[in-house]
Amino acid sequence: MSTRTRPSTTGRTTPGAHSAAAPGPARQPDWLWAAALTLVVAVVGSGTPLLWRDELASWNAAVRSTGDLIGMLGHVDAVSGLYYLLLHAWTSVFGDSEAMLRMPSAIAMAGAAAFAVLTARTAFDRRTAVFTGLLFALIPSVTRYGQEARSYAFVVLAVTAATWLLLRALERSTPARWAPYAVAVTAAGLFHIVSLLFLLPHALIVLLRWWSDRRGRTLVGFTVTVALALVPVVPLVLLGQRQVGRQISWIKTPHLRSIADVWNALFGSPLVALAVIGLALLPLAWPRGRRRALELLLVGAVPILADWVVSQGSTSYFMDRYLLFTMPAWVVLAAAGLAALRPRPLGVAGLAAVILLGLPDQRQIRTETVKNGVEGEQAARIIAKGYRPGDGFVPVRGADSVYMVDFQVEYALPDRVELRDVFAERSGVANDDLFPVECKQAEQCLGTTQRIWVVTWSGTENPYHKLPKDQAAALEKHYKVVQTTKAHGFQVTLVERVR
């Protein structure tokens, strides 16, 4: 369908305005098929990739009791608390297989697709909305994080919903329209604090609209709504600041080159990223749709630049996945560029070209080892094959705890295998933490365990490679090596007690 630009009473033009006879989103629910398509694309092959360490942390948190999970959040990962609680409820019903752990993210990304289409329809026209639905569903990063047992898809959903709800509230500033916007803002903050950077471009959009029409009611409505929406987020921000050194201290201060790296990662493909930026700037070249294009450009660009500036300080937050919520705005802009191409078949050809550019990455996303190696699964298979009731378990931890060797093995072990974590004085659950407290006197923790499975890194003849010195000494003193098996990057050693 075509749209016309009608004159406004102020002498300015209103881009992409629809005639009264034009059917709205309710009569042509493009958002519905876009959500369904995104869900299908995200679900296909989602159970194939092995869980990587961040997903293993989600699993470890989700399978705890509600009380134990809340206790853990007081010490670590509070910023992921809402997501962990949601995943806990989900796994209690649907189980914790790779596909089921990732299913909530696929559903969230499908919801984000719906709001991206609604945003495109509100800002531009139906042709742009259709292109948005198709393009969004087939962007490699949409699939990547739709198949990720982390909170990022929910952040994308919340921010994309907030952007559409803001556009609606700006059309008619009423409490009924600001209320759902407040919910979206709160949800975004609770799912990931960094996502609140989207409020900067939203505030700029409101100011630009106010400058144009001088409607003070809109400015007041936005300010009050955001203030109220942030109230539930403040305690999380305060708690998160106490935990920040432990959780993201490893993120490096970004350089200018880092912006290009993040840009490529936002779309999961350097070629797709290049195509999107080219198409996204096209709406700015024509009078039709220029104001709405500028507003969406702010939504896509300002958080990235603001995050880069803030990350020049003592703590860096500059990570592609932390900024994934900016991606839908760029997709809508790229779709608007495609929709504006003439003759019209050129837009269809451009869409097909962008999708084809991302196909190699779509295939790669669904491979078994795209996120993690097979070491944990192979080690678990070796242990399960030779397991006897009462066996112990010693994974490499210490400075290498971040690699979650214990989680990798434990997730892949069958339910019948129950190993005693020999050097854990208190388990992670008892410690209200992801990780256990290890024994200060390793030899005293051996107890009467007759056989122990030791899992360390391969590439050495030393069966106790990278274990703390006191643990290695205790094992050497009281146990003999029965067998050593390579498991790709891991080394699995069975030792038996001799004294």
Side-chain angles (χ1 to χ4, degrees):
M1 75 180 262
S2 62
T3 61
R4 292 183 175 84
T5 301
R6 59 177 174 83
S8 71
T9 57
T10 63
R12 299 179 180 88
T13 58
T14 305
H18 305 294
S19 65
R27 293 183 59 186
Q28 292 179 330
D30 297 311
W31 60 269
L32 185 58
W33 64 255
L37 177 62
T38 301
L39 180 62
V40 170
V41 173
V43 167
V44 172
S46 64
T48 301
L50 298 171
L51 300 179
W52 74 295
R53 57 179 181 264
D54 279 16
E55 291 183 295
L56 287 166
S58 296
W59 162 75
N60 184 278
V63 297
R64 302 180 184 213
S65 70
T66 304
D68 289 336
L69 175 54
I70 293 174
M72 184 198 83
L73 296 176
H75 295 85
V76 66
D77 263 1
V79 293
S80 299
L82 178 59
Y83 172 71
Y84 285 163
L85 289 167
L86 185 153
L87 192 62
H88 167 74
W90 175 270
T91 55
S92 66
V93 177
F94 297 102
D96 62 352
S97 68
E98 287 93 340
M100 285 298 103
L101 282 170
R102 292 164 175 157
M103 182 64 74
S105 293
I107 295 171
M109 204 59 94
F115 284 111
V117 168
L118 290 169
T119 299
R121 183 63 185 275
T122 300
F124 297 103
D125 51 31
R126 188 183 179 221
R127 182 173 172 81
T128 301
V130 171
F131 278 137
T132 297
L134 294 170
L135 186 58
F136 185 93
L138 295 166
I139 290 287
S141 62
V142 170
T143 303
R144 164 74 170 81
Y145 289 99
Q147 296 184 353
E148 179 95 343
R150 297 296 287 174
S151 65
Y152 307 115
F154 287 88
V155 177
V156 174
L157 168 61
V159 175
T160 310
T163 298
W164 177 66
L165 291 166
L166 176 67
L167 295 180
R168 290 183 73 249
L170 292 176
E171 289 175 352
R172 188 165 69 250
S173 182
T174 64
R177 292 205 170 189
W178 284 117
Y181 178 75
V183 172
V185 171
T186 301
L190 292 178
F191 277 119
H192 206 280
I193 294 172
V194 175
S195 72
L196 291 176
L197 288 172
F198 81 88
L199 290 174
L200 293 176
H202 280 201
L204 288 174
I205 291 170
V206 172
L207 286 173
L208 289 172
R209 294 288 188 97
W210 172 81
W211 184 262
S212 174
D213 57 31
R214 301 291 176 169
R215 289 192 302 176
R217 184 177 182 181
T218 299
L219 196 59
V220 172
F222 174 77
T223 304
V224 172
T225 299
V226 170
L228 293 175
L230 292 180
V231 170
V233 184
V234 171
L236 180 63
V237 173
L238 296 176
L239 184 56
Q241 282 299 310
R242 297 213 307 263
Q243 301 175 359
V244 69
R246 176 177 175 182
Q247 293 186 228
I248 60 173
S249 58
W250 54 272
I251 302 178
K252 296 179 180 179
T253 301
H255 303 289
L256 285 175
R257 169 67 189 175
S258 304
I259 295 177
D261 295 336
V262 163
W263 177 260
N264 290 336
L266 280 181
F267 302 93
S269 164
L271 292 176
V272 172
L274 183 62
V276 166
I277 189 63
L279 292 168
L281 295 178
L282 286 179
L284 296 176
W286 293 295
R288 175 179 173 274
R290 182 177 291 174
R291 187 186 74 176
R292 292 296 176 86
L294 177 60
E295 291 176 348
L296 286 172
L297 181 65
L298 292 173
V299 174
V302 169
I304 298 174
L305 298 176
D307 192 0
W308 188 89
V309 172
V310 170
S311 296
Q312 301 304 309
S314 59
T315 303
S316 176
Y317 305 90
F318 201 71
M319 287 284 293
D320 55 279
R321 52 184 179 266
Y322 293 176
L323 292 165
L324 187 68
F325 64 87
T326 64
M327 176 267 301
W330 293 108
V331 171
V332 174
L333 282 172
L338 288 169
L341 291 175
R342 294 295 183 271
R344 286 195 164 202
L346 189 59
V348 177
L351 175 65
V354 177
I355 291 172
L356 287 173
L357 288 174
L359 284 183
D361 299 282
Q362 288 282 2
R363 287 194 294 268
Q364 177 67 16
I365 287 167
R366 292 169 173 81
T367 57
E368 183 181 35
T369 56
V370 66
K371 299 183 180 183
N372 201 4
V374 297
E375 297 93 339
E377 194 172 73
Q378 289 183 358
R381 193 177 300 123
I382 292 167
I383 293 172
K385 184 177 180 181
Y387 169 74
R388 294 178 188 172
D391 281 357
F393 178 46
V394 174
V396 62
R397 288 197 185 103
D400 289 351
S401 292
V402 66
Y403 298 106
M404 300 184 182
V405 173
D406 45 353
F407 291 5
Q408 291 185 52
V409 176
E410 289 166 0
Y411 178 78
L413 285 172
D415 292 339
R416 66 176 179 83
V417 177
E418 297 183 5
L419 299 174
R420 173 178 173 259
D421 197 337
V422 175
F423 291 125
E425 185 175 314
R426 289 200 314 276
S427 68
V429 173
N431 191 41
D432 284 338
D433 203 296
L434 278 173
F435 303 109
V437 175
E438 296 196 290
C439 300
K440 295 180 180 179
Q441 301 295 326
E443 192 170 350
Q444 296 179 8
C445 288
L446 292 173
T448 59
T449 307
Q450 294 300 306
R451 302 189 339 148
I452 298 175
W453 296 93
V454 182
V455 181
T456 59
W457 304 110
S458 63
T460 175
E461 297 300 320
N462 179 9
Y464 309 125
H465 177 56
K466 285 292 189 91
L467 288 182
K469 290 182 179 179
D470 60 335
Q471 294 182 12
L475 291 171
E476 287 177 341
K477 179 178 179 180
H478 295 281
Y479 292 82
K480 66 176 181 179
V481 174
V482 175
Q483 70 177 53
T484 298
T485 308
K486 304 295 183 186
H488 202 62
F490 288 169
Q491 179 173 263
V492 183
T493 302
L494 174 63
V495 297
E496 286 187 351
R497 195 175 189 96
V498 292
R499 62 170 70 93

